[in-house]
Amino acid sequence: MEIKKVVVIGSGTMGSGIAAHLCNANVPVTLLDLKTEISEQARERIHKSKPPLLLDKSKINNIKVGNIYDNFTEVAEADWVVEAVVERINIKHDIYKKIFKVRKKGAIVSSNTSSIPIKVLSQNLTEDEKKDFCITHFFNPVRYMGLLEIVKSENNDLDKINSLKKFCETELGKGAIICNDTPGFLGNRIGVFAMQIAMTEAFKMKLSVEEADAIFGRPMGIPKTGIFGLYDLIGIDLMSDVLKSFIKELPETDKFHEVAKEIPLVKRLIETGYTGRKGKGGFYRVNKVDGKKIMEVLNLETGDYFPSKKINIKTEKVDLKILINQDDKYGKYAWSVISKIIKYASSLVPGITKEFNDIDEAMRLGFNWTKGPFEMLEEIGVDNFFSKIEEYKDNNFLENLAQSKNEEFYGERQKYTDIHTLGKAKKTAMSVDGNNSAQIYRFKDYNIVEFTTKANALDYDSMDALKKATNKPLIIINESMQFSAGVNLSYTMEFADKGDFKSIEKFIRYFQETCKHLKYSDYPVISAPSGLTLGGGFEVMVQSNFVASHTNIVVGLVETIVGLIPAGGGCKEMLARWLDTEEAKLDPHYASLKVFDIIGYGKTATSPVEAIPMKYLKPEDKKIMNRNSLLEVSKKILKDNRDFKAPAETKFNLAGHIVKEKMIKVLDKLYNDKVILDHGMKVGKELANVLSGGDTTIDKTLSEEDLFKLELDSFMRLIKTKETQDRIKHTLATGKPLIN
Ligand code: NAD
């Protein structure tokens, strides 16, 4: 079965997301709704979406639009028809009747429903039609969420389901998990239960909103939105509808009922329009006091708002064992929540799936958890878990495990796919070493370095691990969301606060030395980025010999935003790339001015398509839709480059003060227009100095070391200023840059 054309019916949140993602995969797609105006508006929303749903905005018109009355003939040409209309069964039944009347013989028809069982959806279909009908449950936002649940029925032609899975894996890059027809499938069944447990236990144990979010978040390997933050994000009213649908579908004996009871405070929030971020606020709200915006948070007992407080729960590191044994209310809350999630998830095996592994993967892909409940159980330790848990009767999975006491019960990750993923490979390493910031996995023919800090921020140890791993071909790759958000600014500020600038200088030098080593060591170095690849993270990537990039990356040099300039070779490499153009051969100022514009504004690209014109990525760098495939592609690069030779050192001919003056003119204009202030001017001048080559002329040749020195000197002058330190502190405290 080949999928060459797709029609999506219903152009709301999900239909438009699915159409955009098919467009990303270069699959011809038509989006139909009740009126053409509606699907046209959907196309406009796609074009303006943030974060962008499209890899390449210029392709927006590849999504054809129309309505279900005048343009239904499109359906007759489609190999796959995706229904994503409102969650109303009669509307869905009507649409299927229309579709099956005209569809091409053998074409797949699927629904994106979140809650209607396949037997109900397909009840009016003939046996033959049922063969080609399934549920394809995408998550929002479609481009960014890895999970796709494909729900099959006993009527399905399995070959067809498998080839749809293959298409969705390879072309759409999804983690496609085949599920049974049970309410909420895998992700939402466990994910919504987990949210409800986290919420009801917080009420019961009298934790504040911030306290619950601080625990049911990073320390548990769960996104930092936590529980109440996630409720606000999804919409408190929408969550209430989701719960109602679960209550309707699940038998009364299901434990879900215990956590889905209406909470009076939540009911009141919905009734008064406090439905979350899209409404007047929710558990959190932004309030204006004396003209200043402040974040307020709901007191769960009184229902009043108070300024939100930062919570210190001792452990910021993801260490479940320490957390659940912590002898305070945080430890008790963590254990209560996690043990109940583990109990519930395991009680559903084999009912909702015979592979417990699939439940974990659904939580990782659909809810961005670092580990699913079963892997958390493995981390807590089987013995430890059973010594703490009170009862688990009628739970076959736990009863069996209690008997076998098999600490190694988990096996490998990502069983749902044949792809040899990083998660699977790590378990087969010959040896593992590393430090607090990175792990080195050693294999026979190559090494892998995986950064392990928060957002994979880089420090001395990260560099040390890279350096130690270059005794063989090296692949720099990671499982967590971000490749690297850049240099660890809190680490740098710890030195700055003590006035210990020597240590900062030592670190930057080591960073430069390591990156140079990556580029020129005897063995090829491959970076396989996805997610944030910023600042220092970009510098590691750009000084690797090869790049295999996921299509979801945010890449760029953003140092100027915190009052710094790139000093790990970012300026140098960007100059090298822009010097190597036809324009630069004709105009000696071209490269410096281009790079000044890109780095000066801290420009970022949100996909490889955007990154190539800025030269953050090269056309020959590999771009991969499925994140699971990054390791296989990287290994293929190694195989294809067995006779690798390190590149020759780059040389630079730059125009010095002549081009620097041009850049300063640009700065003067920005300053006069009040786009930048005094410190912006200072940062700009330092950048101009580096990119012009400093005290040089076009006939002099500069080495990479010369460029590194210019970068370092500028960086050190800037980090010593109070203004830059204030900008860094502000960014660290708020997660947002201080503008100008
Ligand atoms: P939505 O309300 O945003 O969009 C529904 C669209 O369907 C609207 O544009 C509407 O005009 C159109 N529509 C209604 N009747 C139609 C008809 N007869 N023919 C053509 N179009 C019609 O809804 P949504 O959030 O995109 O949800 C769509 C489906 O996806 C639902 O089944 C929902 O359960 C499921 N889903 C939603 C999410 C989510 O996060 N929103 C996630 C997963 C699955």
Side-chain angles (χ1 to χ4, degrees), residues 179-199:
C179 306
N180 296 334
D181 188 19
T182 56
F185 319 126
L186 301 180
N188 283 346
R189 179 75 170 272
I190 308 299
V192 176
F193 178 87
M195 286 176 69
Q196 288 309 113
I197 272 290
M199 182 174 206

Side-chain angles (χ1 to χ4, degrees), residues 80 82 110-113 134-138 148-151 164:
W80 178 18
V82 185
S110 72
S111 170
N112 195 58
T113 184
C134 64
I135 291 172
T136 44
H137 185 233
F138 287 90
L148 167 65
E149 291 170 313
I150 300 183
V151 184
L164 178 67

Side-chain angles (χ1 to χ4, degrees), residues 12-14 33-34 68 84-85 87 91-92 112-114 137-138:
T13 310
M14 295 310 292
D33 208 294
L34 291 168
I68 54 164
V85 305
E87 193 76 332
I91 297 183
K92 293 196 191 264
N112 195 58
T113 184
S114 312
H137 185 233
F138 287 90

Side-chain angles (χ1 to χ4, degrees), residues 166-183:
K166 184 115 199 115
F167 172 84
C168 292
E169 262 195 0
T170 323
E171 304 300 321
L172 304 185
K174 293 296 155 207
I177 303 186
I178 298 195
C179 306
N180 296 334
D181 188 19
T182 56

Side-chain angles (χ1 to χ4, degrees), residues 9-16 18 32-35 38-39 45 68-69 83-88 91-92 94-95 111-116 136-140 188 238:
I9 303 180
S11 63
T13 310
M14 295 310 292
S16 55
I18 296 166
L32 302 179
D33 208 294
L34 291 168
K35 294 183 189 159
I38 305 178
S39 39
R45 273 199 325 271
I68 54 164
Y69 304 104
E83 169 274 303
V85 305
V86 279
E87 193 76 332
R88 295 254 294 281
I91 297 183
K92 293 196 191 264
D94 286 350
I95 281 285
S111 170
N112 195 58
T113 184
S114 312
S115 62
I116 308 175
T136 44
H137 185 233
F138 287 90
F139 280 63
N140 185 36
N188 283 346
L238 194 83

Side-chain angles (χ1 to χ4, degrees), residues 90-126:
N90 55 339
I91 297 183
K92 293 196 191 264
H93 278 159
D94 286 350
I95 281 285
Y96 302 152
K97 205 164 154 189
K98 265 178 89 120
I99 295 171
F100 279 103
K101 225 183 246 169
V102 302
R103 64 135 190 183
K104 210 195 278 189
K105 191 170 166 17
I108 296 179
V109 181
S110 72
S111 170
N112 195 58
T113 184
S114 312
S115 62
I116 308 175
I118 201 165
K119 8 181 208 315
V120 179
L121 290 172
S122 64
Q123 68 193 25
N124 302 334
L125 303 185
T126 65

Side-chain angles (χ1 to χ4, degrees), residues 210-229:
E210 304 105 304
E211 284 175 327
D213 283 358
I215 298 158
F216 190 79
R218 278 212 184 104
M220 288 170 88
I222 291 170
K224 65 173 188 221
T225 25
I227 170 58
F228 292 100

